[in-house]
Amino acid sequence: MSDQSQQRQILVGETDDGADLRLPVVELLTGRGFVTGKSGSGKSNTASVIAEELLEAGYPLLIVDTDGEYYGLKEEYEMLHAGADEECDIQIGPEHAEQMATLALEENVPVILDVSGYLDEDVADELLRKIARQLFIKEKKLKKPFLLVVEEVHEYIPEGGGVGETGNLLIKISKRGRKHGLGIVGISQRPADVKKDFITQANWLVWHRLTWDNDTKVVGRIIDTEYSELVSDLGDGQAFVQTDWTEVDVRKIQFRRKRTFDAGATPGLDDFERPELKSVSDALVGDLQDISERKEREQDRINELENELEKREKRIETLEDELASARDVSSAARQMADALQNTDTIQSELPGSDEDLRRLHEEIAELEAERDDLQEDLDARDDHIESLEEQLADRAAEVDRLRNETKQLREVVRDLQREERTEQVTDDVPSGDEGSDAGDESSIIQAGGDDIEFGYTSVDEDAESATDVADEPGFVVADEERDLTELLETPWISERVTRACDGSQCSTETAEKILGVFARNGSLETATVAARVDRSRVAVQSLVSELRTEGLLERSGERAYVLADNVRSELPAVATDD
């Protein structure tokens, strides 16, 4: 990726004080975004503005349009509008997935994937899943900045219900797509209905007006409690914007109106005029049309063979009925002939002679042979399908094997890291004569940090100054480090930590790390804490807000927090119990 593309920014609106808001292109194309707001608040307009600016700069993207409202972008930009409706440039199905991904990534063709016209929701879901999988596979090799925009993301990644194959794939892209260059932005009018893992993984978020209580609670957990009320007072197009790449955590932004035709606007009484739309060249969609025509020919041939087989089976049934009737007549004739002792004369006068029987047998044999040929064609197709399914199963097994090997390697690395930390701690313990100067007192083992941070200084330091540092609230010495671990295991602390983790979708290990950082350092801003525990600011802010709600942290300044008095007061008590 060139330095120019890394530094490129797009103008999308202005801040509350009138300054331009510019967003870095590379973060939009490869990052994880979330845009939300109630109907009419401006969330789809914001998505269209970002799409317009990226298209204007020459960067392709793929928009999953669930309501058929993004075709207005074609008023100014050449885009492939694919879906099931006749208004689309081409009608496609799951069999077109690989070619669609090729056009988007290798031919730089911007795509509007309109899934609103599919009567069968399973077909639309399969189409999106296969295209997203092809984008992920191809990006592993190409590593080209590309953005996947998904409208109504809560339909694929619901908070309460089960997540299907398509939803799991979108979550996989949000977690692992960035290192391959594949970014994703989810759009929803109900953040409470979106799986929290997806929201907390986002490194840029746009919060338009929300009024429903469950939605505003999400705002309070992700940003801070004060914004849960402010978000309901935002005007049309206004939003609170969070980005991981700026010093300012939250900014109030007025997004500009999109330039292209607003196909998603609520219909009015005025005459509706559809603008003249641009389309990609016929040459680019030629391969897609070939796939459609080949699919139609194959289906027509299958229908033809099935109809022919049905006709032959009906003909065989008719001939078998005639044969049975002829046998009955022949049997009656033989019985009559035997009775009259004139077999040759009677049989010559009745239908169903041996010659007719032979003819019927031959015709039936020919029809059965033709039926067998048709059945062989169908069996061959079934065998081919089974072969492909076996290949797919083999590949899935190989993927599982590689995942297990990766897991084992990670465990080995963690064991080595633990051994290395143990050796480092052992090396820090004084030995020999160096330890004799300490008398009967236990040696202090440092877990990281400088002398002042652990509450003691060298003998050359002023004793009073050292005592002041050790007494300062929020600083923990080596024994207190152990005390904090024991304190976190007490029921009244551990239960609150568990509830905070459930509310923020963060792990207990992360919560303990954060409490340890506050214990060692006193008052800190969330950005500093996020850097020390190596988590995103969005995830840390969400967890800190929950810890504050549970009474484990308290505010010490604007966007700064410190251990609550009742937690700090328990640290010496735990040490005394030892």
Side-chain angles (χ1 to χ4, degrees), residues 215-267:
D215 291 330
T216 58
K217 286 181 180 178
V218 175
V219 178
R221 289 178 178 177
I222 301 299
I223 307 182
D224 206 343
T225 52
E226 61 186 284
Y227 290 95
S228 61
E229 296 181 3
L230 296 175
V231 73
S232 61
D233 296 329
L234 292 173
D236 293 348
Q238 288 184 332
F240 292 121
V241 176
Q242 285 178 280
T243 56
D244 270 2
W245 58 79
T246 56
E247 294 296 331
V248 181
D249 285 343
V250 182
R251 291 173 288 179
K252 186 177 181 181
I253 303 300
Q254 176 68 54
F255 283 86
R256 69 165 178 81
R257 290 285 299 175
K258 61 182 180 180
R259 296 185 297 267
T260 51
F261 175 67
D262 189 359
T266 303

Side-chain angles (χ1 to χ4, degrees), residues 354-479:
D354 290 340
E355 183 178 352
D356 291 335
L357 293 177
R358 283 194 297 272
R359 179 182 59 78
L360 290 173
H361 276 298
E362 290 173 357
E363 187 172 353
I364 289 174
E366 291 176 357
L367 290 173
E368 289 177 341
E370 292 180 6
R371 181 193 62 186
D372 292 341
D373 291 340
L374 293 173
Q375 189 63 48
E376 287 178 2
D377 289 343
L378 295 176
D379 291 341
R381 291 178 181 273
D382 292 340
D383 292 341
H384 182 61
I385 292 173
E386 291 178 1
S387 175
L388 292 177
E389 290 176 344
E390 290 175 358
Q391 294 177 20
L392 180 60
D394 291 341
R395 293 186 180 180
E398 178 67 12
V399 170
D400 291 339
R401 184 184 67 78
L402 292 174
R403 284 176 178 168
N404 291 333
E405 291 180 358
T406 301
K407 182 178 179 180
Q408 294 173 1
L409 288 174
R410 286 176 177 170
E411 291 177 354
V412 171
V413 170
R414 284 196 294 269
D415 292 341
L416 292 174
Q417 289 175 340
R418 283 195 293 269
E419 292 176 4
E420 183 179 357
R421 287 196 296 270
T422 303
E423 292 174 0
Q424 289 176 351
V425 171
T426 304
D427 292 341
D428 289 340
V429 177
S431 60
D433 295 337
E434 294 177 358
S436 62
D437 295 337
D440 294 333
E441 297 181 1
S442 299
S443 299
I444 298 177
I445 300 175
Q446 297 189 34
D450 55 26
D451 292 347
I452 293 178
E453 186 175 356
F454 280 87
Y456 62 89
T457 59
S458 66
V459 296
D460 296 332
E461 297 285 342
D462 187 290
E464 182 178 354
S465 174
T467 302
D468 292 341
V469 171
D471 291 339
E472 183 177 342
F475 286 86
V476 180
V477 297
D479 285 339

Side-chain angles (χ1 to χ4, degrees), residues 284-350:
L284 288 176
V285 298
D287 291 340
L288 293 173
Q289 291 174 338
D290 291 342
I291 293 174
S292 298
E293 293 172 359
R294 184 167 63 251
K295 179 71 174 180
E296 290 177 0
R297 289 195 299 270
E298 290 177 354
Q299 189 61 47
D300 290 344
R301 180 56 179 162
I302 290 174
N303 293 338
E304 181 182 344
L305 291 173
E306 289 178 346
N307 291 334
E308 186 66 24
L309 180 60
E310 184 179 357
K311 290 180 181 179
R312 296 300 173 90
E313 288 177 344
K314 288 182 178 179
R315 178 58 178 159
I316 288 173
E317 290 178 1
T318 301
L319 292 175
E320 286 177 343
D321 290 341
E322 292 179 2
L323 178 60
S325 177
R327 284 173 176 168
D328 292 341
V329 172
S330 178
S331 177
R334 285 193 181 97
Q335 292 176 4
M336 183 179 293
D338 290 341
L340 297 175
Q341 296 181 351
N342 191 7
T343 305
D344 295 336
T345 303
I346 298 298
Q347 284 187 346
S348 62
E349 294 176 354
L350 293 174

